[in-house]
Amino acid sequence: MLDTQKPTYLTAFQTAAKEGKFLITAEVAPPKGGNPAHMISMAATLKGRVHAVNVTDGSRAVLRMSSLIASAILLQKGIEPICQIACRDRNRIGLQADLMGAHALGVHNILALTGDPVKAGDHPDAKAVFDLEAVRLLQLIRKMNQGVDCNDKPLTDGALELFAGAAVDPQCASWSGLQSRFERKIEAGAQFFQSQLITDFERLEKFMDKIAAGYKKPILAGIFLLKSAKNAQFINRCVPGVNIPEHIIDRLAQAKDPLEEGMKIAAEQVQIARQLCQGVHMMAVKREDLIAPILDLAGVAPVNLMVVK
């Protein structure tokens, strides 16, 4: 089925993506509790520095406020969200319900994820759902944008207008698996890609040249603020597929101010990524206020957030 629906408007993030601009997004976690004040204050430090704020959906299977509700709160504050939606906790009925709700609330950017395993989080005895996974969720979003549900029944109260993205891991050990998964997500309707934490930029360059180049979809390289050598070692132990090089760990260990050194490393990585792909996705867990200074160190100017009507 061809998508003949014409969007009534483009958000600032969508406009920048379609115009080929260097995209900047940053990650924030919803609150653990009913008070969103801290999330709002952290996201406010990103105004004018990122095109959109990526709101996590139970990252690492740890309990947080609904990513959809948190995204709607940020939108009310004038901050464009990218709402992560993971398949772990919802069946296809719940996923479609949330996608319709996102559209109605004005949350139009969606990052479609399979989701981290329940055993990794703080409720290991919870029941995982995984009715769909990321590729099938992308296919579902495309259908709903065309005005039908997952059973090809009409959405009688209107089609959706969602701009769907997906995750990609250029450092995946299986090159054929990486290519196959990436191409399946493209075919399913992914409009942009956010990468996992990047430490091997040669691998990223190879991915861009050998796999991504022919598809002309924005790839945002994941840049993570390392706060100390201990922090880097923890990530190496606990985050699958990530291998922070020893020379980076040594820099942090020998630094008089490890946090400042981590900011310099992140800024250097932004500069490298800028030569390879169309954007960066900034991650600074509990220190989102440092993302703007990192971008300053990297020489990245504030962004133009004009929305095209």
Side-chain angles (χ1 to χ4, degrees):
M1 182 186 299
L2 294 176
D3 185 357
T4 58
Q5 180 189 17
K6 294 182 179 180
T8 57
Y9 66 93
L10 295 174
T11 69
F13 174 70
Q14 293 169 25
T15 300
K18 290 179 182 297
E19 290 179 351
K21 293 181 179 177
F22 185 71
L23 300 172
I24 308 164
T25 62
E27 194 162 283
V28 298
K32 187 166 186 176
N35 185 352
H38 179 71
M39 176 192 71
I40 293 168
S41 66
M42 288 294 99
T45 67
L46 302 168
K47 271 191 172 182
R49 300 312 309 263
V50 303
H51 293 93
V53 170
N54 200 298
V55 184
T56 58
D57 183 15
S59 178
R60 295 182 297 110
V62 173
L63 173 65
R64 293 275 179 173
M65 180 186 285
S66 157
S67 59
L68 174 54
I69 300 304
S71 294
I73 291 170
L74 292 184
L75 191 60
Q76 290 175 345
K77 301 296 181 181
I79 298 166
E80 182 172 344
I82 299 173
C83 179
Q84 293 189 9
I85 292 190
C87 297
R88 177 190 57 242
D89 305 319
R90 310 164 180 83
N91 65 15
R92 65 195 69 189
I93 298 172
L95 288 166
Q96 289 175 102
D98 280 354
L99 291 168
M100 288 187 283
H103 171 91
L105 290 168
V107 176
H108 293 281
N109 305 315
I110 303 292
L111 189 74
L113 302 171
T114 299
D116 298 315
V118 167
K119 296 295 183 185
D122 59 354
H123 287 66
D125 296 326
K127 185 175 181 179
V129 180
F130 292 116
D131 187 20
L132 305 181
E133 45 69 51
V135 172
R136 293 173 69 195
L137 177 55
L138 287 164
Q139 293 168 343
L140 173 59
I141 292 170
R142 183 171 60 190
K143 279 191 170 190
M144 298 184 81
N145 282 347
Q146 293 168 343
V148 297
D149 66 15
C150 68
N151 295 321
D152 293 322
K153 302 296 184 183
L155 297 177
T156 55
D157 291 307
L160 308 189
E161 293 182 31
L162 300 176
F163 190 66
V168 65
D169 184 6
Q171 298 164 150
C172 177
S174 169
W175 190 255
S176 61
L178 168 62
Q179 181 167 1
S180 172
R181 187 80 171 157
F182 178 77
E183 290 175 349
R184 286 178 64 206
K185 288 180 178 180
I186 291 280
E187 291 169 4
Q191 298 299 311
F192 67 97
F193 287 84
Q194 172 188 307
S195 93
Q196 308 286 12
L197 186 166
I198 295 292
T199 55
D200 186 343
F201 286 88
E202 290 183 4
R203 182 79 172 183
L204 174 63
E205 184 174 16
K206 182 181 177 183
F207 166 75
M208 294 301 304
D209 290 343
K210 303 295 185 182
I211 296 178
Y215 294 98
K216 302 190 184 306
K217 297 293 184 183
I219 309 292
L220 283 72
I223 307 294
F224 191 91
L225 171 62
L226 298 167
K227 303 181 184 75
S228 66
K230 184 177 178 181
N231 179 219
Q233 291 162 344
F234 171 82
I235 290 169
N236 273 349
R237 281 197 314 274
C238 300
V239 180
V242 173
N243 181 26
I244 297 166
E246 280 301 317
H247 71 88
I248 295 289
I249 296 175
D250 289 343
R251 273 184 67 177
L252 292 163
Q254 295 166 12
K256 185 178 297 184
D257 185 337
L259 181 59
E260 183 179 325
E261 192 67 22
M263 293 173 65
K264 291 178 182 177
I265 292 167
E268 292 165 10
Q269 292 175 337
V270 170
Q271 291 172 327
I272 297 169
R274 200 170 188 178
Q275 305 304 312
L276 302 177
C277 56
Q278 198 187 322
V280 288
H281 174 62
M282 306 296 296
M283 295 170 278
V285 179
K286 297 182 180 179
R287 290 308 310 265
E288 292 86 353
D289 57 303
L290 295 179
I291 289 175
I294 290 169
L295 294 171
D296 287 337
L297 284 172
V300 177
V303 300
N304 181 355
L305 294 178
M306 183 181 296
V307 178
V308 177
K309 295 290 185 182

